[in-house]
Amino acid sequence: MSEGYEHRSIWGHLMKLAFCQNYVDAGGIRTRYVEAGPKDAPVVLMIHGTGSSWECFCATLSSHSEHFRCIAIDMAGSGFSDRPDEPYEIGFYVNHVLAFMDAMGIEKASFIGVSLGAWVTSRLVVDHPERVEKITLLAPSGLIINNATMTRTKSVRNAAVDDPSWENIRPVFNSILYKEEDRLADLVQVRQAIYREPNMKMAMNNILVLQNADVRERNLVTEEEWRGVDKPIFIILAPDDNPDYTTTGKRIAELAPDVRTLTIEKVKHWAHFEAPDIFNPANLEFLLGR
């Protein structure tokens, strides 16, 4: 439940928040984003997971925008941003995020990345540390390869985009959200609308290239690269999620020099959404340096 209400919804998290949804040209890609918080505050940029959209951060924006200029984007190929017809490898996403930052006049930001978004954030902090303040990783990815996980991801996402019926969209959230009551009709409806877009099947083929072992391998962030990251890192460990992500998070914590972790139980990918009462104050403490 959210804030004591019997019905939880995306709007329930946003109804009191002053925010703006808009589009901007980011390197030729029309990019959808939502923004809240003071324009002159430090920036927190929020990056979603595979085939998702900015709505996954609906429970994060209000608390964080009290202190930061918060911006959550739809990455290229996802949400309602443009969908170029080319393989979406990690460098493609990084270039899109950097182009977005440039278009918005953002020199430097802290990042919250979820799953694929955590992978993109990881590559960003390795290759462009001058653009990064701090990073928060949920369901961290990009260090290991698990063929079973990749096969399952391809199967569920292809079924959803081939036939974006309610029955096919809902299973997308089974591996994302631990509790049935958190698999909101709102979230299903947004994802259904996205997957019904006329060019989404093409985009999904490009999104899922990272679920092929050879492509994934050349996009990994290596252990040696993690040893060289000197930015503060906050990693959420979710032992009830797929163990790939806990394994990755724990290994990054062993490799990088400035890492703190928090274990949250009975959540999966979206700990920030399923346990905002735990995640929000903990992440704000990290970002504010307390």
Side-chain angles (χ1 to χ4, degrees):
M1 300 301 174
S2 175
E3 297 186 13
Y5 295 109
E6 293 182 4
H7 171 71
R8 188 180 186 193
S9 68
I10 294 172
W11 185 241
H13 290 289
L14 300 174
M15 66 174 73
K16 296 179 183 178
L17 178 65
F19 71 96
C20 170
Q21 178 177 267
N22 208 341
Y23 290 80
V24 68
D25 185 315
I29 297 172
R30 186 173 184 260
T31 302
R32 176 180 177 248
Y33 69 95
V34 65
E35 181 174 4
K39 290 282 189 180
D40 59 351
V43 176
V44 173
L45 197 54
M46 304 177 185
I47 313 293
H48 62 73
T50 300
S52 187
S53 64
W54 75 250
E55 281 83 1
C56 84
F57 295 106
C58 65
T60 312
L61 286 164
S62 184
S63 63
H64 282 58
S65 64
E66 293 179 13
H67 306 275
F68 297 97
R69 179 188 177 194
C70 293
I71 304 174
I73 72 170
D74 286 358
M75 286 199 292
S78 295
F80 294 101
S81 291
D82 278 351
R83 301 179 177 89
D85 190 6
E86 61 181 278
Y88 303 159
E89 298 191 37
I90 296 300
F92 168 85
Y93 291 121
V94 168
N95 288 337
H96 178 229
V97 172
L98 291 173
F100 177 84
M101 292 174 71
D102 291 342
M104 298 292 287
I106 300 168
E107 182 178 343
K108 205 169 188 177
S110 293
F111 290 82
I112 303 173
V114 180
S115 194
L116 172 62
W119 191 353
V120 174
T121 297
S122 301
R123 178 49 64 190
L124 252 170
V125 77
V126 168
D127 290 352
H128 303 277
E130 74 284 355
R131 306 300 295 266
V132 179
E133 291 281 0
K134 299 181 178 183
I135 65 171
T136 300
L137 306 178
L138 299 104
S141 304
L143 186 63
I144 62 175
I145 295 174
N146 184 324
N147 286 314
T149 299
M150 294 188 297
T151 297
R152 184 166 56 251
T153 299
K154 285 191 287 188
S155 175
V156 172
R157 300 307 172 95
N158 279 326
V161 80
D162 286 346
D163 174 17
S165 64
W166 199 267
E167 293 72 26
N168 284 343
I169 298 293
R170 283 197 90 259
V172 170
F173 293 96
N174 292 346
S175 62
I176 294 173
L177 297 165
Y178 179 82
K179 296 183 284 291
E180 176 66 30
E181 61 266 29
D182 283 334
R183 298 167 193 162
L184 307 184
D186 278 18
L187 296 173
V188 178
Q189 183 184 35
V190 170
R191 193 68 63 95
Q192 184 179 52
I194 292 166
Y195 285 13
R196 282 177 170 174
E197 289 285 291
N199 55 358
M200 191 61 209
K201 188 170 182 178
M202 171 272 292
M204 188 61 74
N205 288 333
N206 290 319
I207 289 169
L208 292 176
V209 296
L210 289 168
Q211 307 305 320
N212 299 325
D214 56 338
V215 178
R216 196 175 191 89
E217 183 170 11
R218 66 172 177 255
N219 283 274
L220 296 179
V221 181
T222 67
E223 293 197 351
E224 189 59 35
E225 287 175 320
W226 275 116
R227 289 189 180 97
V229 174
D230 62 358
K231 302 293 182 179
I233 303 170
F234 186 32
I235 299 175
I236 304 301
L237 302 174
D240 295 301
D241 197 4
N242 182 320
D244 290 0
Y245 308 104
T246 303
T247 299
T248 297
K250 288 181 176 179
R251 185 60 181 148
I252 293 170
E254 293 170 350
L255 296 166
D258 187 1
V259 181
R260 71 171 73 174
T261 64
L262 174 65
T263 298
I264 303 178
E265 297 181 345
K266 293 184 170 48
V267 299
K268 288 189 177 180
H269 270 34
W270 292 9
H272 60 301
F273 180 81
E274 291 203 89
D277 55 329
I278 300 173
F279 173 81
N280 288 337
N283 195 54
L284 284 170
E285 181 178 311
F286 164 69
L287 292 174
L288 293 167
R290 294 173 180 167

